[in-house]
Amino acid sequence: GNLVEVITSGSRDWAKYYSETGNLFLRMGNLSRNSFELRLNNLQRVQLPEKAEGTRTSLQSGDLLFSITGEVGMLGLIPEGFETAYINQHTAMIRFLPSIRNKYLPYFLLTDYAQKCYKSNQHGIKNSFRLDSISEILVPIPPLSEQERIIEQTEMATNKIAAM
């Protein structure tokens, strides 16, 4: 919780705003299990009326999406220059503090340690993960130079594996 500006869940009951044109509406199917790469092959768009509350769930570059129901812990990182987009209620948006808005925390949230945190804190019949549970995950924070080295080494290893 000390590392974020905001953690919020997505908007409810926006199916009535679905449209062929308009802004992106990201759902769990756009998130990934073993990476934080957005899956953009099955997109939904919405046309929001003026009175619809969208400010809270409007995404910014660097925001990390996190599935909080069903298959908990799927991720999606909003890249620089991404178009206007919103999220649905099964997805949380984590906006990290500017000083830690890099890929260190997204990579950390893919680790076995983080996955165990998700599994041990699920609630209800439908497997759900509360927003306050996200803010309670303990995260080791090395100096920025070490974070950058970890990111670089992780990306080199990931690229080698992908090339196999």
Side-chain angles (χ1 to χ4, degrees):
N2 296 329
L3 303 174
V4 300
E5 285 182 1
V6 66
I7 298 174
T8 189
S9 60
S11 300
R12 298 183 187 287
D13 301 323
W14 277 25
K16 59 188 166 202
Y17 304 129
Y18 284 6
S19 174
E20 294 295 318
T21 61
N23 300 327
L24 280 181
F25 189 59
L26 298 177
R27 303 167 293 171
M28 283 179 47
N30 300 116
L31 308 182
S32 297
R33 166 52 62 204
N34 296 312
S35 78
F36 45 79
E37 192 78 26
L38 286 172
R39 298 181 340 187
L40 301 175
N41 56 336
N42 185 14
L43 296 176
Q44 180 61 59
R45 295 198 173 271
V46 290
Q47 283 284 351
L48 295 182
E50 289 182 28
K51 294 181 181 180
E53 188 284 312
T55 306
R56 181 181 57 81
T57 63
S58 180
L59 301 174
Q60 298 177 13
S61 63
D63 287 348
L64 186 67
L65 307 182
F66 183 102
S67 61
I68 55 176
T69 64
E71 194 171 346
V72 172
M74 292 174 48
L75 302 174
L77 184 63
I78 303 300
E80 201 67 43
F82 199 69
E83 67 179 283
T84 302
Y86 302 92
I87 53 172
N88 77 350
Q89 77 257 21
H90 302 289
T91 306
M93 180 269 294
I94 306 167
R95 184 167 296 145
F96 298 110
L97 294 171
S99 61
I100 194 146
R101 245 180 240 160
N102 57 35
K103 292 182 180 177
Y104 174 76
L105 290 172
Y107 277 125
F108 175 80
L109 292 173
L110 290 172
T111 65
D112 287 343
Y113 167 79
Q115 296 293 320
K116 287 177 186 173
C117 290
Y118 311 152
K119 288 181 175 71
S120 68
N121 282 312
Q122 291 187 24
H123 305 278
I125 297 171
K126 289 175 52 177
N127 287 347
S128 63
F129 198 72
R130 295 190 321 242
L131 296 179
D132 61 342
S133 295
I134 294 172
S135 67
E136 293 171 358
I137 296 173
L138 296 176
V139 180
I141 303 296
L144 185 58
S145 60
E146 182 65 8
Q147 290 176 39
E148 291 169 354
R149 190 189 72 73
I150 291 168
I151 293 166
E152 181 182 324
Q153 292 295 312
T154 302
E155 289 181 344
M156 283 177 27
T158 302
N159 290 338
K160 282 183 181 179
I161 291 168
M164 294 180 140

